């Protein structure tokens, strides 16, 4: 995998660009990290980014104040171009403008086959990003990236791992199906109504998913 680019959007190091950094990458406030941030709320060794099966994997290194990717607290996360990584008071953006523009463009059906689009993009990454956003029709480019690009299913799973993953997804799907079957849908009013018990059932599913994510993150630490 080629080197990655991280741009600092917020924090004391705002405006810094770390270009073509080769993985594995550690980010923290102390010397010895690949990327050292001047941020007292960042842990000494805060996160690690490494390559695994052509994927970029971010791991929180048991930091004091935690790590967010696109606003969500994480312990372990597959990173994609355009992701925002928040640690301490600092926010880093993964990818160059050109890389983000290309990803946005690929989310628009027919974009790559549009000669006018190709001519407009040229070599200018700023133009690429602007054109991609216009064709995408999204004011919030991050919403375009993260809502329209679901995660991949893991590859090269053993039969046992595949069975465990299938069982986990099936467990969630069964619970969601049960909830959906009890919901009162008024199609004329375009409204879905949940009573208190249904709402608590949905919150419990959300809670269990949060617990599973935490367990998976800590398994990686081990």
């Amino acid at each position: 995998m080629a080197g990655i680019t991280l741009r600092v959007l917020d924090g004391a190091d705002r405006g810094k660009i770390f270009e073509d950094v080769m993985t594995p990458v550690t980010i923290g406030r102390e010397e010895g990290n690949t990327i050292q941030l001047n941020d007292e709320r960042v842990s000494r060794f805060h996160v690690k980014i490494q390559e695994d099966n052509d994927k970029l994997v971010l791991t929180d290194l048991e930091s004091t104040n935690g790590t967010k990717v696109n606003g969500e607290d994480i312990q372990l996360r597959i990173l994609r171009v355009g992701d925002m990584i928040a640690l301490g008071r600092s926010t880093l953006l993964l990818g160059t403008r050109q890389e983000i523009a290309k990803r946005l463009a690929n989310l628009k059906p027919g974009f790559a086959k549009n000669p006018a689009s190709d001519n407009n993009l040229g070599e200018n990454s700023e133009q690429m990003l602007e054109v991609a956003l216009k064709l995408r029709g999204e004011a919030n480019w991050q919403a375009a990236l993260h809502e329209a690009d679901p995660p991949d299913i893991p590859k090269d799973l053993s039969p046992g791992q595949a069975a465990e993953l299938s069982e986990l997804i099936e467990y969630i799907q069964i619970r969601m199906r049960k909830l959906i079957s009890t919901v009162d849908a008024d199609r004329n009013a375009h409204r879905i109504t949940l009573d208190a018990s249904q709402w608590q059932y949905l919150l419990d599913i959300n809670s269990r998913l949060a617990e599973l994510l935490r367990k998976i993150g800590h398994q990686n630490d081990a």
Side-chain angles (χ1 to χ4, degrees), residues 25-38:
V25 175
T26 59
I27 305 174
R29 73 170 189 271
E30 286 209 350
E31 293 183 7
N33 284 285
T34 314
I35 295 176
Q36 183 182 10
L37 296 177
N38 182 25

Side-chain angles (χ1 to χ4, degrees), residues 3-190:
I4 63 174
T5 295
L6 289 160
R7 293 182 278 155
V8 184
L9 302 183
D10 286 308
D13 298 290
R14 181 174 58 188
K16 283 189 177 180
I17 301 176
F18 301 91
E19 294 183 283
D20 294 325
V21 183
M22 301 304 297
T23 57
V25 175
T26 59
I27 305 174
R29 73 170 189 271
E30 286 209 350
E31 293 183 7
N33 284 285
T34 314
I35 295 176
Q36 183 182 10
L37 296 177
N38 182 25
D39 187 337
E40 72 278 6
R41 296 197 64 184
V42 169
S43 294
R44 294 169 57 248
F45 292 89
H46 199 109
V47 298
K48 181 178 182 179
I49 302 173
Q50 59 192 327
E51 182 184 355
D52 185 31
N53 291 325
D54 295 323
K55 303 286 187 182
L56 280 179
V57 181
L58 182 145
T59 305
D60 181 272
L61 301 175
E62 293 297 313
S63 63
T64 301
N65 295 309
T67 303
K68 293 179 183 288
V69 174
N70 304 325
E72 296 290 335
D73 291 305
I74 62 97
Q75 279 88 39
L76 190 67
R77 178 70 177 258
I78 299 291
L79 291 178
R80 296 170 177 80
V81 167
D83 282 345
M84 288 202 305
I85 306 164
L87 48 163
R89 292 188 173 90
S90 304
T91 303
L92 288 75
L93 178 65
L94 176 65
T96 64
R97 290 182 176 86
Q98 186 177 36
E99 289 171 336
I100 293 171
K102 284 182 178 178
R103 186 176 169 206
L104 278 167
N106 289 334
L107 295 177
K108 178 69 176 180
F111 180 90
K113 299 177 182 178
N114 187 336
S117 304
D118 293 336
N119 292 336
N120 287 336
L121 292 180
E123 298 296 326
N124 189 314
S125 61
E126 294 284 358
Q127 279 188 334
M128 287 184 70
L129 185 54
E130 182 179 353
V131 172
L133 287 170
K134 286 180 180 178
L135 289 176
R136 178 70 200 166
E138 294 278 358
N140 185 342
W141 59 269
Q142 279 212 308
L145 286 174
H146 307 307
E147 292 178 12
D149 195 10
D152 295 327
I153 295 174
K155 297 179 181 179
D156 301 322
L157 295 175
S158 69
Q161 290 172 326
E164 288 178 334
L165 179 60
S166 296
E167 187 176 20
L168 176 59
I169 295 174
E170 184 181 23
Y171 168 79
I172 298 168
Q173 195 267 338
I174 288 173
R175 294 203 65 183
M176 291 300 296
R177 185 175 62 197
K178 180 178 178 182
L179 175 62
I180 291 169
S181 68
T182 64
V183 168
D184 181 18
D186 186 344
R187 301 187 184 279
N188 294 326
H190 303 289

Side-chain angles (χ1 to χ4, degrees), residues 175 179 182 194-205:
R175 294 203 65 183
L179 175 62
T182 64
L194 297 177
D195 62 28
S197 62
Q198 292 167 328
W199 175 245
Q200 288 300 321
Y201 189 85
L202 182 59
L203 291 178
D204 183 65
I205 295 173

